[in-house]
Amino acid sequence: MPRPPLLIGTWGKIRRATVDGQPMAFANYRDSTGRTRPMQRNGRTEAEAERNLVAALKAKLDDESTDLLASSSTVAELAEKWLDELRLQKTPQGTIVTYRSSIKANIVPGIGALRLSEASVPRVDRFLKGLLDRPSAARTARVVLAGMFKLAVRHGAASRNPVPDTMPIASTKRPVKAKTLEHIHGMRERFAEYDRAHTSELWEASGMLMATGCRIGENLALRWDLDVHLDTAVVEINGTLITGEDGKLHWQEHPKSEAGERALRLPATMLGLLTERRVNAFYEQVFPSSTGTWRWPANTRRQWRAALEGTIYAGATPKDFRRAVATHLDRQVGVKAAAKQLGHGNEDVTIAYYIERQHEIADFAEVIDSLFQFAG
């Protein structure tokens, strides 16, 4: 009857010997691939050779085991492993930053010390319910935990993913409200007034938002020579600005989604403004900071709020321009055009989040009136 194999991560009987006058110790060990391999070490004495061998075996097998989670690993340790895997998958940095923020702000303080064997459905469910006063935070935490425990199951550290059996967190979606053209032009007049006293360039930046319907990060990531082609009146959306894990601003070589990479024809009005702006440009960025670096989207939003503070436009955001473009295109040429302009892979997202629904009257009164014309 064949001898049963060693357990993975263990070694067999240690043998001592003196070979050519050199004290040696030998043993077979089974690594994480399932293969049984030999190892030997020497020493001044056979006892020292055995100690050296044991130390080497432990170091070797400990190195291999550090890549795997165990049921005794904590949720916080799982989180770090999961983030490492997202980086290997080349997940966009913006997404990683969002998930890491959820882990740091909510998951680690809430259940980070739990062992994976202790992370039952009731415990995870209770944790998520404790975040319901902040529905957005609760939804993000649920998405993050679901991804984390998929990894735990793959590592054999958990027998099941507890998150799908927790209570779903409903999304309270509000109807889309698009700003009127009067409202959009009123904001731009306010921006022009604000620009005269500040180095903000909100009037021109908002004009580009209106011309393209792009996101603020995409807008501020535009480069003269690589993205803006004045000779053909085309602007290419090739990247966006994100805050990296290091807290610094980075140009990301792709927009939010694959469909977000797009080429847009510039309206004649914006083409004229850009041509004039290009003549006076000193930097590669279309909208550089005052020092010629990338302009932080957060700073632009702050200036935006300051410009509109105390007016009827207070509370409006750059996304309102994106909604206005989508709604205008939908009314004029249809939803497909709106989705293509905004860089959406399908029309569902455009309809759900960017186009204000038209309230049409069901005008069948004449037909229904015949119900009243009963002759008897």
Side-chain angles (χ1 to χ4, degrees), residues 59-233:
K60 172 66 177 176
L61 297 174
D62 283 348
D63 284 345
E64 292 184 350
S65 66
T66 55
D67 290 335
L68 292 176
L69 294 158
S71 59
S72 59
S73 301
T74 64
V75 171
E77 291 168 340
L78 168 61
E80 289 303 315
K81 288 286 187 185
W82 184 66
L83 289 174
D84 287 341
E85 184 155 292
L86 291 185
R87 297 181 188 104
L88 287 175
Q89 295 171 348
K90 305 298 183 183
T91 303
Q93 277 203 34
T95 301
I96 294 178
V97 169
T98 297
Y99 289 166
R100 192 181 65 173
S101 296
S102 177
I103 289 168
K104 183 178 179 181
N106 298 309
I107 293 174
V108 169
I111 57 173
L114 279 181
R115 304 290 177 182
L116 299 185
S117 59
E118 299 169 332
S120 61
V121 173
R123 287 193 175 102
V124 176
D125 186 67
R126 184 164 57 248
F127 162 70
L128 291 172
K129 285 177 179 175
L131 299 175
L132 285 178
D133 59 329
R134 294 173 292 139
S136 178
R139 283 192 294 273
T140 302
R142 193 173 191 268
V143 169
V144 170
L145 284 169
M148 286 168 50
F149 276 97
K150 282 183 181 178
L151 176 62
V153 171
R154 282 195 283 112
H155 276 232
S159 59
R160 58 178 294 198
N161 188 334
V163 180
D165 291 328
T166 61
M167 184 187 77
I169 300 170
S171 175
T172 54
K173 183 180 175 299
R174 298 177 181 177
V176 176
K177 295 294 292 182
K179 302 298 183 185
T180 64
L181 293 180
E182 180 183 7
H183 204 116
I184 292 294
H185 285 287
M187 279 195 283
R188 294 201 68 222
E189 289 175 6
R190 179 70 188 115
F191 291 150
E193 181 182 340
Y194 186 82
D195 285 345
R196 284 192 284 271
H198 303 81
T199 56
S200 50
E201 299 186 311
L202 292 175
W203 185 78
E204 291 178 286
S206 64
M208 196 64 174
L209 290 177
M210 187 162 65
T212 61
C214 65
R215 301 173 178 88
I216 186 66
E218 296 170 345
N219 197 43
L220 299 180
L222 292 174
R223 303 159 297 178
W224 283 118
D225 295 332
L226 297 172
D227 305 319
V228 179
H229 310 289
L230 298 176
D231 55 337
T232 56

Side-chain angles (χ1 to χ4, degrees), residues 222-223 226-229 234-239 262-264:
L222 292 174
R223 303 159 297 178
L226 297 172
D227 305 319
V228 179
H229 310 289
V234 169
V235 60
E236 294 182 23
I237 308 300
N238 293 314
R262 58 204 188 278
L264 307 171

